[in-house]
Amino acid sequence: DLVTGVQTCALPISFRVSPAPLSIYDVQLAATSVEAGTNVGILVEAQDDYGNVVTDADGILELRDDLGGLDPDLGFGEQSCSPFFSGLALCTVALWYAAPEVRVTASDETGISGTSDPIAVLSGPAITLTIGVDGTTVTAGEEVEVEEIGRAHV
């Protein structure tokens, strides 16, 4: 950026400020809540220690969440990120685990990272329902007590 200083000796002073080396990623989510399994957009900005955009950033980003629902090593969740352009990368994630507060961390191969503010990940519709029945024999037409054992969500 071009900065113009105060005149001294009747001569204006102009100089350019370049960013310092990349030190952190600013991770901004496009929503404050999302249903589990639904894509949400993320903007990742490469910054120096002073908050300046590092326009020549070229790291390859990997995203993870703090619950393990977005873990590429285990095959959980879905993610994709564009290459950096002028210090910005656009990413998309689908978080698989529901929780009131989930944070997403972007990191590159050099260990530089940044973490988002929390997002609420809401349960999706049930895709399976497991029911348990007392006893092994049930006769048609008789009432029987059932117990919900568990539900699997998207």
Side-chain angles (χ1 to χ4, degrees), residues 63-79 94-99 101-105 121:
L63 304 174
R64 293 181 183 271
D65 71 12
D66 56 351
L67 295 179
L70 180 62
D71 188 336
D73 295 337
L74 298 176
F76 295 141
E78 299 169 19
Q79 64 174 306
L95 303 169
W96 286 8
Y97 291 161
E101 291 190 351
V102 178
R103 288 174 176 77
V104 175
T105 298
V121 180

Side-chain angles (χ1 to χ4, degrees), residues 37-153:
T38 303
N39 285 340
V40 64
I42 298 178
L43 177 67
V44 179
E45 183 177 71
Q47 295 182 349
D48 67 9
D49 282 335
Y50 308 99
N52 298 306
V53 178
V54 179
T55 57
D56 63 351
D58 61 358
I60 297 171
L61 294 176
E62 180 175 274
L63 304 174
R64 293 181 183 271
D65 71 12
D66 56 351
L67 295 179
L70 180 62
D71 188 336
D73 295 337
L74 298 176
F76 295 141
E78 299 169 19
Q79 64 174 306
S80 66
C81 289
S82 70
F84 277 98
F85 179 76
S86 295
L88 301 173
L90 299 175
C91 301
T92 304
V93 297
L95 303 169
W96 286 8
Y97 291 161
E101 291 190 351
V102 178
R103 288 174 176 77
V104 175
T105 298
S107 59
D108 66 21
E109 64 280 2
T110 68
I112 295 172
S113 66
T115 301
S116 72
D117 288 335
I119 184 172
V121 180
L122 311 172
S123 294
I127 57 171
T128 62
L129 176 62
T130 305
I131 305 265
V133 181
D134 287 337
T136 58
T137 305
V138 177
T139 304
E142 290 183 358
E143 288 188 22
V144 76
E145 189 174 318
V146 296
E147 173 186 1
E148 179 183 332
I149 297 173
R151 295 181 191 204
H153 297 275

